[in-house]
Amino acid sequence: DAGVTQSPTHLIKTRGQQVTLRCSPKSGHDTVSWYQQALGQGPQFIFQYYEEEERQRGNFPDRFSGHQFPNYSSELNVNALLLGDSALYLCASSRGQGTFFGPGTRLLVL
Amino acid sequence: DAKTTQPTSMDCAEGRAANLPCNHSTISGNEYVYWYRQIHSQGPQYIIHGLKNNETNEMASLIITEDRKSSTLILPHATLRDTAVYYCIVRVTTLNSGYALNFGKGTSLLVTP
């Protein structure tokens, strides 16, 4: 049983560009959350998707958007990239009490 | 969710017990205590959680004080692979698990040979 998978593992973009990150949840999980982790900080909650709708959102601007597909996989989109968007982006899936994280996508904005 | 306070860093000798404290003095009656850890450049890993009774699993033990205002995560025989950042998180848990995890900065545990 594969756990949470994310792609790509690493990504380099320039300021102003747009990026899409992808996540496949653990088998049987229907809820997907996204987190941003800057260097030296704990993960910060971006938003959560359940039944293809955004259910909860953290303190992130509208440049951050997402989508959940019928198979529960999810995408995180970031528009108009800023240098400060450089971070590790983590996807987490859950069903019931257990929350499992993927390995993350490391984004570098130059 | 209630806020938690953890020491910034701790050291532990290999083979010894690592005791990681967490203060959550404003915890509510329906909030659980969760522990996660993050090994360098990997995603956070679930360790254990509890409400008011002490809990033990194959990874660790969780001791929660009677007033629930603090807890201690115990790694009984620390190994070099336990070197990681440990996060104590307090949150309401529902069957849907539909709530965000509020990570702080955690405790950086260094296990030395």
Side-chain angles (χ1 to χ4, degrees):
Chain A
D1 171 31
V4 180
T5 60
Q6 293 185 244
S7 64
T9 56
H10 295 81
L11 202 52
I12 299 175
K13 292 285 189 178
T14 56
R15 281 181 298 172
Q17 285 190 311
Q18 178 265 344
V19 69
T20 298
L21 310 181
R22 295 176 176 82
C23 171
S24 290
K26 185 176 170 64
S27 178
H29 284 190
D30 57 5
T31 302
V32 174
S33 302
W34 287 91
Y35 291 78
Q36 180 196 64
Q37 186 172 25
L39 202 60
Q41 304 294 317
Q44 298 297 307
F45 175 74
I46 303 175
F47 43 52
Q48 182 181 89
Y49 278 83
Y50 173 69
E51 292 188 344
E52 301 179 52
E53 301 230 343
E54 183 182 293
R55 174 160 70 175
Q56 189 181 11
R57 189 178 184 93
N59 188 26
F60 279 80
D62 292 345
R63 298 187 297 110
F64 290 78
S65 63
H67 188 78
Q68 185 179 35
F69 299 94
N71 66 352
Y72 306 124
S73 67
S74 177
E75 287 182 351
L76 164 65
N77 300 294
V78 186
N79 293 323
L81 284 168
L82 303 174
L83 296 181
D85 294 331
S86 294
L88 179 67
Y89 288 85
L90 295 160
C91 172
S93 74
S94 56
R95 186 183 182 97
Q97 293 197 12
T99 298
F100 294 82
F101 284 81
T105 293
R106 188 162 297 281
L107 172 66
L108 177 61
V109 182
L110 301 176
Chain B
D1 293 340
K3 189 173 180 179
T4 62
T5 304
Q6 299 178 251
T8 303
S9 63
M10 295 182 65
D11 292 346
C12 177
E14 190 178 19
R16 299 285 187 137
N19 297 285
L20 291 89
C22 179
N23 183 289
H24 33 79
S25 58
T26 59
I27 192 170
S28 300
N30 62 347
E31 289 181 313
Y32 287 70
V33 180
Y34 279 73
W35 284 84
Y36 280 77
R37 74 179 183 183
Q38 187 173 25
I39 296 170
H40 183 62
S41 294
Q42 298 181 20
Q45 175 190 24
Y46 166 82
I47 302 172
I48 198 167
H49 76 283
L51 182 62
K52 56 183 178 180
N53 298 319
N54 297 339
E55 302 287 344
T56 296
N57 63 21
E58 64 279 3
M59 290 182 69
S61 294
L62 174 60
I63 308 298
I64 302 174
T65 58
E66 193 170 339
D67 62 8
R68 303 209 323 121
K69 293 186 177 182
S70 65
S71 62
T72 301
L73 177 74
I74 300 173
L75 307 179
H77 305 287
T79 70
L80 298 180
R81 287 176 295 182
D82 292 322
T83 292
V85 178
Y86 288 76
Y87 296 98
C88 170
I89 300 167
V90 174
R91 69 162 180 156
V92 174
T93 296
T94 67
L95 288 178
N96 239 350
S97 190
Y99 295 91
L101 293 169
N102 185 15
F103 290 85
K105 291 191 175 182
T107 295
S108 179
L109 174 68
L110 176 63
V111 181
T112 56

